[in-house]
Amino acid sequence: MTRSTRRSRTVALTATAVVIALGATACGGSSGNSASGSPSKGGTLTILNDADYNHIDPQRTYTTEGSSMDYELVRTLTGWDETGAKPKLVGDLATDTGTPAKGATQWTFHLRHGVKWQDGTEVTAQDVKYGVERTFSPDINGGPPYASQWLVGGSSYKGPYKGKQLDSIRTPDKYTIVFQLNQPVADFNETTTMTGWSAVPKAHDTGATYDLHVWSDGPYMIKSYNKNKELVFVKNKYWSQSTDPIRQQNLDEIDAKFGQDQSAIDQQIKSDAGTAQSAITQTPLAGSDLTSFANNPSLKSRFYKMAAPGINYMAINTGRVKNIKVRQAIEYAVDKTTVRGAFGGAVYGDYATTMLAPGINGHKDFNLYGSNPAGDVTKAKALMKQGGNPKLTMSLAVENIPTQEHFADAVKTALAKIGITVNISPLDKNNYFSIVNNVKNQYDLTWGDWVADWPNASTVLPTLFDGRQIKNLPQSNQDLSYLNDPKINAQIDKVGKMTSITQRNAAYGDLDEQIMKEAAVVPLMYMNMTDVGGSKVGGVINDTIMGEPSLVHAYVTH
């Protein structure tokens, strides 16, 4: 999923499901407390972000910031308890992590009794069914594609808005929901940790405007939402700690404010004055601030750094840049030292040569395009010569923020050395992924990042490189390189059906190398996620699944 400089948590699972052993392998998620002492009750936590959430409609959101905020509002069937040394899969709305049957092609979940909506009515299995069915509507785009890929009949179902239901989601009673899958998916109960698998009450679904009116069954509910300015959560008085194994309700209010420059936000929280003492960021620190903040002893207890299973990369549109010699030349020409400098230097992450980051099951070490992160201009020029020495002009899509514009300048400078003129296209950060994921908006080069939905290659390679989604998901296509290679698509299907974990992981590493041979994408850095909070903020958990500071236990001292 995309965390972008907006953390594109663009995560997606497999285009073809995987039979995976249960349980996560992410690193620890210890609680961080800038504030000392036990959790306080009451007060307001302020969130300072440079831009609004792409979506908080749980079936639409596919960024880590939007999803992280949603976990304060909505309950999913399963979830991650990250208070221990490792993330632990637990039941959330469900009483447990689900029961597979028929070779993991059927999954049954039993809902907890007494989970209440913000109006006091009980959450039912029918509400969950309706919420999942929403994901199939052509009007709901941008979220993960798993439901439509895996549920029987999903490829032709068009959602509930015209009165039709999906028969492969059954609700035998008020507290039981059964999913019938078209193939074995042994980690289906990890998919159901994502917000698309949350309940939505049909009577309160406002369709296209549900972002503004998300109905809460979590500890907080929306008080007001002024897009691009401010989002205020207050307590949901019908939420009960006894029904929720993941969240707490320590705060009176969560107040998210949008629109300041990221550097201004960083400096405000660094000052630790006034309301900044009880504030936190969700969007990454500005590249210009990252090294100094990381090395500042006075910020140590307030600096959150998460090694997440994520990759920062630049996609090369293979439909527009058809000459593979030119694409290979770009691989060699990009100077990753200046690129990483734009994002904040070594603290931001290690140089990447693969699309699967270390820590993801299936990662293997290889490097097809030279050992020098500064690039190899001589080699790049030779490849351009082999490609006919074309004089090219290319468009590069980035977010309209300083960190990304500095990145774009670094790419422009590097490619100018091999005769490629780059025109930079800065896009509105609030809508960046909605724009670049729409196949109508094709650029020659596109910045992207990706955080695995959970640390497995099945949540990276199929989503980013299965060319069939270009046609099937025209408004939410994640294949920014427009790679549509029948051999790669077939291999994605083949690997997804492997039952041996060892065999599958090795095959994903080989698939990564097969994709990189197409020179469809330039891996830039394996990302660390960084944020900073005020001295009165406590209970923050380093969420290594999401690559965000989790606020489910957050509190402020008085």
Side-chain angles (χ1 to χ4, degrees), residues 18-23 78 89 94 96-110 170 176-181 183-190 192:
V18 268
V19 180
I20 307 182
L22 306 182
T78 54
L89 187 70
D96 57 26
T97 56
T99 304
K102 299 181 181 178
T105 62
Q106 178 178 296
W107 279 84
T108 301
F109 298 88
H110 299 285
R170 293 186 293 110
T176 305
I177 187 163
V178 183
F179 298 97
Q180 191 65 47
L181 310 182
Q183 62 190 88
V185 188
D187 61 341
F188 182 74
N189 56 356
E190 297 187 34
T192 54

Side-chain angles (χ1 to χ4, degrees), residues 75 85 137 171 240 306 387 460:
R75 306 276 298 272
S137 171
T171 53
S240 170
M306 292 146 279
V460 182

Side-chain angles (χ1 to χ4, degrees), residues 24 30 39 123 126 160 183 230 240 285 289-290 306 309 343 416 434 470 473 487 499 523 525 534 545 556:
S30 58
V123 178
Q126 289 77 20
Q183 62 190 88
E230 186 176 29
S240 170
L285 292 165
D289 294 328
L290 186 52
M306 292 146 279
F343 284 93
S434 298
I470 300 166
L473 300 168
K487 291 181 180 178
T499 55
M525 288 84 64
I545 299 287
V556 294

